[in-house]
Every structure is written in C-alpha cells, then in structure tokens.
Amino acid sequence: MRARTIVSVAVSACVVLVACSCGPERTKEDTDAKPSQPSASTTAEEPSATPSASARTEKPSATPTGDQPAPRTKEGAIERYEQYLHALGHEDIDTVCDVAGPAAKKAQDQGLGPCTSTYATVLQMISPAQKKALQTATVDPKRVVVRTPAKVEMPVDAVRASATFSESDLGSYTLEYLKNDWYITD
C-alpha cells in the first residue's frame, strides 16, 4: 500500500511539475508528433483491414483533427476523463497514454520515463478491486470545476466507483482542450 502511495505521489508530482514547465504550444507539438510514430508502417495503412489495427493502437481520439472535434464542454471533458479511468481499469496503456499524453510527455522530459513504462508501473500498484471499479467509474458533474472553457479540473472526489479512491491512489487532474480534444495536462 505504501509503495502504491509513493508511486501515485511521484506520478502526480511529475505531472504537476511538467504541466507548470510547458505551455500548450509544446503540448500541441507533442500531440502532432504522436500520430507520426505509427505512420512508420505506411504500407500498413494501404490495405483496408490494417487501418483498424492501426487505429486501435492510436485510439480514434488521438486524431480528432481528421474526425469530428470533441465537444469543448464540461460534458466533453467528463467523457474523456471517464475514457481514461476505464482504460486504467482495463490496463489499456495506449488509451491511458493518449489521454494523459501531454502530462506524461512533460513527466518524461523531467526524467520519469516514457508514458508506457511509467503507467505499466502505476498499473501494478492499483489493486484488482480498484481496477474493476475503474472499468465502470463515472464522474459526478457537480464536483467538476470549470476554470475556463478550455480548462477543467477533475477532483478525485468526483470519481464515482465501487471502490474508494484518494489523492494518493488516483489523484485529481486538470484536463485542457488541445487540438480538438481533451487531454490531461496536470
């Protein structure tokens, strides 16, 4: 339990440090760079069956500029955060790293390591009961704080699940609307 708390606090601290040290412009560059990584398999995009596998790896929300933009609303932010919570519960690191990409990139720049390895460690610290609870977790809109039309805070006490989560277990997050979708930046 203590190790989980230390890892959660370390991840949260890195996210905060990185969020403070990098503005949205850098985040946009990082997000722009992300879709270019899977394009190394350009030939895989030509057959009609392969793009679905590629899209599954990227997650459709990673490229909202080609699709419809996500709603720039409190509800849109809540939906995106719930996607993140469910991905944690299902141990879907691709989705977790998509939604938390800007914050994870900042943490990586601070020396924490790549998102995939960092969250692999974090997932080991989440109990099976908590993972199961996260798979169906929802967010209480009354507890969400809208700071600006493009910045929303998700306090840990807004998470509704069959297990209890604290700041040291899950933490509170800030989502920002960047590149037509909501991303965890802090």
Side-chain angles (χ1 to χ4, degrees):
M1 177 98 169
R2 186 169 184 107
R4 179 178 7 174
T5 302
I6 292 170
V7 169
S8 296
V9 169
V11 170
S12 296
C14 288
V15 169
V16 169
L17 286 173
V18 175
C20 293
S21 67
C22 183
E25 288 183 38
R26 182 167 184 171
T27 302
K28 288 179 183 178
E29 292 171 12
D30 295 338
T31 305
D32 286 342
K34 187 173 182 179
S36 68
Q37 293 171 349
S39 69
S41 60
T42 307
T43 57
E45 291 179 359
E46 291 175 8
S48 62
T50 307
S52 64
S54 175
R56 193 187 82 207
T57 303
E58 281 184 51
K59 298 299 172 200
S61 58
T63 56
T65 53
D67 301 331
Q68 264 187 312
R72 190 177 177 172
T73 62
K74 177 178 168 179
E75 293 76 19
I78 289 171
E79 183 179 325
R80 182 76 157 156
Y81 187 60
E82 287 177 349
Q83 179 186 18
Y84 168 80
L85 295 173
H86 299 166
L88 277 176
H90 288 288
E91 298 185 23
D92 179 357
I93 292 181
D94 289 338
T95 300
V96 167
C97 288
D98 173 33
V99 178
K105 177 64 175 144
K106 293 173 189 177
Q108 181 178 349
D109 292 346
Q110 295 292 321
L112 193 60
C115 181
T116 53
S117 63
T118 300
Y119 269 102
T121 302
V122 170
L123 289 172
Q124 292 175 0
M125 302 299 170
I126 300 173
S127 74
Q130 288 176 319
K131 286 178 188 170
K132 184 171 175 84
L134 287 169
Q135 292 174 9
T136 58
T138 59
V139 174
D140 180 356
K142 295 175 190 164
R143 297 188 181 266
V144 174
V145 180
V146 177
R147 294 292 177 201
T148 69
K151 191 173 193 175
V152 176
E153 292 183 20
M154 301 287 178
V156 71
D157 65 349
V159 176
R160 297 289 175 244
S162 59
T164 304
F165 294 95
S166 66
E167 281 292 331
S168 62
D169 293 327
L170 185 60
S172 297
Y173 293 97
T174 299
L175 277 76
E176 291 187 60
Y177 194 81
L178 308 166
K179 297 209 41 95
N180 296 324
D181 211 343
W182 291 96
Y183 294 91
I184 294 174
T185 58
D186 185 19

